[in-house]
Amino acid sequence: MEASPWAALTRRVAAAVLMLVASTLVVYFGRGGYHDVKGTELSLLDSAYYATVSLSTTGYGDITPITPVARLINIVIITPLRVLFLIVLVGTTLQVLTERSRQAFKIQRWRRKVRNHTVVVGYGTKGRTAVDAMLGDRVQPAQIVVVDTDPIMLKAAANAGLVTVHGSATQADVLRLAGVQRAAAVVVAVNRDDSAVMVTLTARELNPTAKIVASIRESENTHLLKQSGADSVVVSSETAGRLLGIATNAPNVVDMIENLLTPEEGLTVTERDIEPGEVGVSPRHLGDIVLGVDRAGTLIEVGDSRVDALEAGDKLLYLRRAHG
């Protein structure tokens, strides 16, 4: 993983300070070869002053090297340090401005074009896994925008071709920058349940129609997420606990569940609209292995008498061979 921009900036500032200190010491130890306007010997402060104005190319001329040795030291040591000092300062400024401009233009172009995209809040383990699942289901990277406060995580997301927005998703301005008001779905994958509630509330206020899916650690907070506007809530700790319990007696069942949750290989559970010719047909008579029917937002399992005959507008949850 690459270092954050702040770490890089700190290293460059430290390098500039070290060059300034080195120049000051060179001038101070060779102060006998320098002359100021009063003709007095240079102090340590005078040496630091001369090093500062020299490296910054200001050059007031009130302190000058008068001996050949001092002038040679200026040519051999001070001048290269001056060049390096300018490279560090100018290079840092250009890098920051270039990166900010590039990111700003990228987001502006993306916001003008994108509609019905997915906003993923948090690019930790849960967020990355959610993105991988969407990409495995042939969602285009340009249709996914990641919001996070960690520059390292955002760098990883950008390397995967995703659009990134730096900031806290609890703030409405950050979510607006991510285009939540035009998004089709929002995935809340933060590490704290209280943060998940705040993000969900803010996202629902900005977009009353988006599908919001949130992950939490504790099941007792499920009702808070539902009241905040989440359409679906996944309790990560309980789900993992159930799989651990099943694995003690039936490890193959866990392997099958993992297979179903991996869209890149094997079988996967997905959803589709029914076709006109399937209206009135029982799901058990279709070629697909149907697990359930979504009727007006309510999931009904196969075998329930209510779905013995499919109706227009129903959606099927079925097993599909994953894209290899």
Side-chain angles (χ1 to χ4, degrees):
M1 304 295 288
E2 296 186 13
S4 69
W6 288 111
L9 180 61
T10 301
R11 286 198 301 269
R12 295 192 179 195
V13 171
V17 171
L18 286 176
M19 284 186 279
L20 182 60
V21 170
S23 299
T24 300
L25 294 177
V26 168
V27 175
Y28 181 72
F29 288 124
R31 60 189 179 278
Y34 291 83
H35 184 276
D36 65 6
V37 292
K38 297 180 180 179
T40 57
E41 186 177 275
L42 301 186
S43 64
L44 182 60
L45 178 60
D46 294 332
S47 301
Y49 166 76
Y50 177 78
T52 302
V53 298
S54 295
L55 293 186
S56 63
T57 68
T58 305
Y60 293 115
D62 49 351
I63 299 177
T64 57
I66 57 175
T67 65
V69 174
R71 291 174 177 173
L72 180 62
I73 290 176
N74 262 262
I75 295 173
V76 176
I77 299 178
I78 302 298
T79 299
L81 287 176
R82 179 186 300 121
V83 174
L84 291 175
F85 188 83
L86 292 175
I87 289 175
V88 168
L89 294 183
V90 175
T92 300
T93 303
L94 290 177
Q95 181 179 4
V96 171
L97 292 177
T98 301
E99 179 63 25
R100 286 184 177 180
S101 299
R102 185 186 66 83
Q103 186 67 6
F105 284 128
K106 180 180 179 181
I107 292 177
Q108 287 176 4
R109 290 196 306 269
W110 174 82
R111 292 184 68 189
R112 284 196 298 267
K113 297 186 300 181
V114 74
R115 294 291 187 278
N116 299 322
H117 57 290
T118 299
V119 177
V120 178
V121 179
Y123 200 65
T125 302
K126 292 182 291 186
R128 287 197 305 273
T129 305
V131 169
D132 290 342
M134 287 186 283
L135 295 177
D137 207 22
R138 295 186 175 180
V139 176
Q140 295 300 315
Q143 286 294 113
I144 302 174
V145 55
V146 173
V147 180
D148 206 307
T149 57
D150 190 340
I152 297 179
M153 294 299 181
L154 293 178
K155 185 68 173 179
N159 290 338
L162 310 177
V163 180
T164 61
V165 173
H166 181 269
S168 173
T170 59
Q171 300 177 3
D173 289 343
V174 174
L175 289 181
R176 287 193 187 96
L177 185 60
V180 163
Q181 61 273 26
R182 299 184 304 276
V186 179
V187 177
V188 183
V190 294
N191 293 324
R192 293 167 52 109
D193 288 3
D194 55 348
S195 298
V197 172
M198 289 298 300
V199 172
T200 303
L201 277 170
T202 308
R204 179 56 73 203
E205 181 181 10
L206 294 174
N207 190 334
T209 61
K211 183 176 183 180
I212 300 179
V213 182
S215 171
I216 57 173
R217 294 178 178 270
E218 305 297 336
S219 59
E220 57 263 27
N221 295 324
T222 301
H223 72 285
L224 294 176
L225 266 297
K226 291 285 189 178
Q227 292 175 359
S228 301
D231 298 291
S232 180
V233 179
V234 178
V235 184
S236 57
S237 58
E238 289 194 357
T239 302
R242 292 191 187 97
L243 291 177
L244 290 173
I246 294 173
T248 59
N249 295 318
N252 289 332
V253 174
V254 177
D255 292 340
M256 177 58 69
I257 294 174
E258 289 288 342
N259 180 280
L260 293 176
L261 294 176
T262 305
E264 295 87 357
E265 57 186 19
L267 295 173
T268 183
V269 181
T270 189
E271 181 181 88
R272 70 171 176 84
D273 296 324
I274 66 169
E275 299 175 358
E278 295 173 337
V279 175
V281 178
S282 171
R284 293 189 293 270
H285 297 158
L286 299 179
D288 297 320
I289 301 176
V290 180
L291 303 177
V293 176
D294 180 352
R295 177 169 293 168
T298 301
L299 178 62
I300 307 173
E301 295 182 0
V302 172
D304 192 308
S305 59
R306 290 176 293 174
V307 293
D308 283 344
L310 294 174
E311 299 178 0
D314 286 349
K315 295 182 178 180
L316 301 180
L317 275 71
Y318 70 104
L319 292 180
R320 184 193 66 192
R321 175 66 58 182
H323 306 295

